[in-house]
């Protein structure tokens, strides 16, 4: 395996970590493979390790290449920065496709939660030169061939506005420990006081969106980066999955995006699991850090996504033809 970490932007702390199956004389010699480019979640404030290497290794085991993009977060999360980070990763992969035995026509972008917002942006905006000025002369260079979006942030109006962060009665917003506090968003907008409970709850929608817009934002900005509004016939085929018990990033994110894809006659596969919450990664004990990340009924999503990539790219059929 060719496993290395490549710095794409030192200034933005953007790296691409590869998990590439090396060409072997014993099997499928000379054959190019699809690659899955993974964008971990983390609300644009951190990057989840549970949604990184464990995911990449599953795809490698299925016979695909994989890579993890650690895109710009915190002060570097401002749009369209992460979109350009992912575009740069896709361009870099295509530039090295021959030496890496990557099929340049089978570059799949993938994301979890906020990472799915990054992946989804490239899926809908790949042909917008004004957002991708470095690639405007040849936008096809950064066009993804498919998307896998996992409990995705897509509609910036559809995240929890009343998140229980276990604030104590009497605590002020200044005293509350909350990892999504953005320095340019007023605490009065990030926290809501619940009279019945006598304590504060977080408006996660406002808190996360503050990272995308570097503080306060307008409804026009929020609407523009709500990606169901940007789907067109040029959007790439998409695989989506979500849990119906997700109270943080609401299932309507996936449902409305799937509906927009269907309206524009874009191939879409959607799996909505009956229960389960947010951030469950593989959904099994291998990536669960607590009981809220454990919902093994949904662990079938991984095999479904592998089968979807195979159908989309025809990879296994190429192997069978070569035997």
């Amino acid at each position: 395996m060719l496993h290395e970490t490549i710095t794409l932007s030192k200034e933005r702390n953007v790296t691409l970590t590869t998990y590439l199956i090396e060409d072997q004389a014993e099997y499928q010699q000379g054959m190019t493979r699809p690659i899955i480019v993974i964008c971990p979640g983390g609300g644009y404030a951190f990057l989840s390790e549970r949604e990184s290497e464990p995911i990449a290794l599953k795809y490698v085991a299925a016979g695909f290449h994989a890579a993890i993009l650690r895109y710009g977060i915190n002060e570097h999360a401002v749009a369209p920065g992460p979109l350009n980070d992912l575009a740069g990763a896709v361009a870099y992969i295509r530039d090295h496709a021959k030496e890496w035995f990557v099929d340049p026509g089978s570059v799949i972008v993938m994301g979890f939660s906020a990472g799915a917002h990054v992946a989804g942006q490239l899926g809908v905006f790949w042909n917008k030169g004004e957002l991708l000025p470095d690639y405007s002369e040849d936008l096809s260079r950064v066009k993804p061939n498919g998307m896998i979006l996992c409990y995705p942030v897509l509609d910036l109006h559809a995240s929890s506005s009343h998140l229980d962060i276990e604030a104590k009665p009497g605590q002020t917003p200044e005293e509350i420990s909350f990892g999504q506090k953005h320095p340019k968003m007023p605490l009065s907008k990030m926290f809501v006081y619940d009279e019945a409970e006598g304590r504060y709850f977080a408006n996660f929608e406002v808190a996360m969106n503050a990272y995308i817009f570097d503080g306060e934002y307008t409804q026009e900005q929020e609407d523009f980066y709500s990606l169901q509004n940007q789907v067109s016939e040029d959007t790439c085929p998409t695989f989506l999955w979500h849990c119906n018990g997700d109270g943080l990033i609401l299932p309507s994110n996936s449902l409305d995006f799937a509906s927009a894809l269907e309206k524009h006659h874009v191939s879409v596969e959607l799996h909505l699991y009956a229960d389960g919450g947010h951030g469950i990664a593989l959904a099994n004990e291998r990536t669960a850090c607590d009981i809220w990340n454990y919902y093994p009924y949904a662990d079938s999503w991984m095999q479904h996504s592998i089968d979807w990539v195979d159908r989309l790219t025809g990879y296994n059929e190429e192997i069978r033809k070569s035997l």
Side-chain angles (χ1 to χ4, degrees):
M1 181 187 295
L2 180 59
H3 176 49
E4 61 178 329
T5 296
I6 300 154
T7 299
L8 298 181
S9 171
K10 186 175 182 180
E11 179 186 12
R12 292 177 50 76
N13 196 28
V14 176
T15 63
L16 185 70
T17 300
T18 64
Y19 298 78
L20 305 174
I21 300 171
E22 295 185 73
D23 194 40
Q24 299 288 340
E26 292 188 34
Y27 57 91
Q28 293 110 49
Q29 187 172 24
M31 184 171 289
T32 59
R33 302 170 185 268
I35 188 167
I36 317 299
V37 186
I38 302 160
C39 300
Y44 284 110
F46 75 101
L47 296 173
S48 170
E49 292 303 322
R50 296 186 306 103
E51 297 165 349
S52 301
E53 187 167 81
I55 309 301
L57 293 178
K58 282 285 190 179
Y59 286 119
V60 171
F64 307 143
H65 298 306
I68 298 167
L69 176 68
R70 291 181 170 88
Y71 53 90
I73 56 173
N74 293 313
E75 69 271 21
H76 301 305
V78 182
L83 165 64
N84 279 269
D85 295 339
L86 180 54
V90 170
Y92 190 94
I93 287 166
R94 286 206 168 105
D95 288 347
H96 292 80
K98 187 174 181 179
E99 64 185 275
W100 286 353
F101 291 89
V102 169
D103 177 0
S106 298
V107 179
I108 312 300
V109 296
M110 176 188 199
F112 293 83
S113 192
H117 190 250
V118 177
Q121 285 182 64
L122 191 60
V124 301
F125 290 141
W126 67 266
N127 56 356
K128 300 293 189 291
E130 64 274 21
L131 295 176
L132 297 161
D134 290 347
Y135 310 99
S136 58
E137 291 186 4
D138 182 13
L139 290 166
S140 65
R141 187 170 166 230
V142 301
K143 178 183 179 180
N145 302 107
M147 294 191 286
I148 300 171
L149 306 180
C150 312
Y151 39 86
V153 174
L154 297 169
D155 182 355
L156 298 188
H157 300 277
S159 301
S160 175
S161 59
H162 198 264
L163 178 67
D164 188 352
I165 50 174
E166 300 182 353
K168 304 289 191 298
Q171 273 189 314
T172 66
E174 290 79 8
E175 296 170 328
I176 295 171
S177 177
F178 180 51
Q180 293 283 146
K181 282 185 178 180
H182 191 282
K184 295 183 182 178
M185 178 59 73
L187 294 178
S188 60
K189 294 187 176 182
M190 276 195 286
F191 296 99
V192 292
Y193 188 74
D194 188 305
E195 295 284 353
E197 293 270 351
R199 60 193 180 98
Y200 281 96
F201 286 68
N203 187 329
F204 186 81
E205 178 183 306
V206 168
M208 180 183 63
N209 291 356
Y211 286 86
I212 301 172
F213 302 113
D214 197 29
E216 297 187 76
Y217 52 90
T218 66
Q219 182 166 329
E220 288 74 20
Q221 288 175 301
E222 196 174 22
D223 288 345
F224 183 79
Y225 280 98
S226 290
L227 303 183
Q228 77 280 2
N229 298 329
Q230 305 297 344
V231 170
S232 72
E233 62 276 5
D234 293 324
T235 303
C236 61
T238 304
F239 178 98
L240 296 141
W241 72 275
H242 220 117
C243 287
N244 205 32
D246 192 337
L248 183 66
I249 305 301
L250 306 183
S252 61
N253 281 270
S254 291
L255 293 168
D256 291 347
F257 194 77
S259 179
L261 290 166
E262 190 276 333
K263 179 180 177 180
H264 287 88
H265 309 290
V266 177
S267 176
V268 59
E269 181 169 331
L270 168 65
H271 296 263
L272 181 63
Y273 293 93
D275 205 346
H278 189 73
I280 63 177
L282 289 175
N284 58 31
E285 62 279 357
R286 292 167 182 81
T287 55
C289 60
D290 56 44
I291 193 63
W292 305 111
N293 308 133
Y294 182 67
Y295 185 56
Y297 178 72
D299 70 0
S300 61
W301 79 263
M302 173 55 76
Q303 187 58 52
H304 286 312
S305 74
I306 290 169
D307 293 341
W308 178 83
V309 172
D310 177 45
R311 292 195 304 274
L312 181 68
T313 64
Y315 174 62
N316 280 336
E317 183 59 30
E318 288 299 311
I319 293 176
R320 286 189 286 270
K321 288 177 181 177
S322 71
L323 297 179

